[in-house]
Amino acid sequence: MSSHRYVAEYDDEDYQEYGEYEQPKDPRRPYEDVESYEPYEPFDDDLGAEDPRAGRGVRRVLSGAGGLILTPVALGLLAWGGLRQQMLVQATLSTQRDVFSIGLLVGGGILLLAVGLLGALSATGPILGGLVWGVAPGVATIAVPEWGFRLVKLLPQNDVTYGVTSWLFIGGLLATGFLLTGAGLASRLARRRR
């Protein structure tokens, strides 16, 4: 065996022709050598999408105003229709129907339904309507009955006022107020869970 070493000689031209040997790229890091790589963000093609928080104040104001305006009208219609129906039945001792009374009852019920549905827009409407027009006067009348009479004296003296007085002292306004407030709170809790 020879102890002679073989040394290969390369021309500079050959070395430049093939260039330096490049390390294979790691397939797990394909963009390692890219300086300004930004992660992919999906394109949102829904041009009509808006920030859900935008306009929240407007929805609250509309719902609150609707609750404060529609609730007393609904309660007035229900109280008036109920009073007319009660007077007819008691006066005649029969089960006759008064179409106008039925219309008032149905109209009042639909308006209360509308107040409850305002909870889809914002919970403010049912909560405000229930607290202001149902819970507050109902609790005040239970706590101090004289306040109930003072509240009634503020209203014009007509059939609507007599019907509302009846509802106030038997707890109808209080129950309706709690129902509306509960509907508003349920709407708010359901919206928070989403």
Side-chain angles (χ1 to χ4, degrees), residues 31-39:
Y31 301 109
E32 190 175 55
D33 57 343
V34 178
E35 293 178 8
S36 63
Y37 171 70
E38 295 180 5

Side-chain angles (χ1 to χ4, degrees), residues 71 110-123 125-126 179-180 183-184 187:
T71 303
I110 290 172
L111 285 179
L112 276 184
L113 176 66
V115 173
L117 289 175
L118 285 173
L121 191 62
S122 170
L179 283 172
L180 286 176
S187 171

Side-chain angles (χ1 to χ4, degrees), residues 28-50:
R28 293 172 293 174
R29 299 181 184 176
Y31 301 109
E32 190 175 55
D33 57 343
V34 178
E35 293 178 8
S36 63
Y37 171 70
E38 295 180 5
Y40 170 76
E41 294 182 9
F43 176 71
D44 185 14
D45 58 351
D46 186 9
L47 299 176
E50 296 179 4

Side-chain angles (χ1 to χ4, degrees), residues 178-194:
F178 274 121
L179 283 172
L180 286 176
T181 304
L185 291 174
S187 171
R188 179 166 288 172
L189 290 174
R191 193 174 286 116
R192 282 186 180 176
R193 288 184 181 177
R194 288 185 206 160

Side-chain angles (χ1 to χ4, degrees), residues 142-173:
I142 290 172
V144 184
E146 293 83 19
W147 290 355
F149 287 112
R150 289 180 188 165
L151 287 172
V152 169
K153 286 182 181 178
L154 296 175
L155 300 173
Q157 301 304 310
N158 54 26
D159 285 348
V160 177
T161 302
Y162 298 136
V164 170
T165 304
S166 175
W167 268 48
L168 181 62
F169 285 99
I170 66 171
L173 288 181

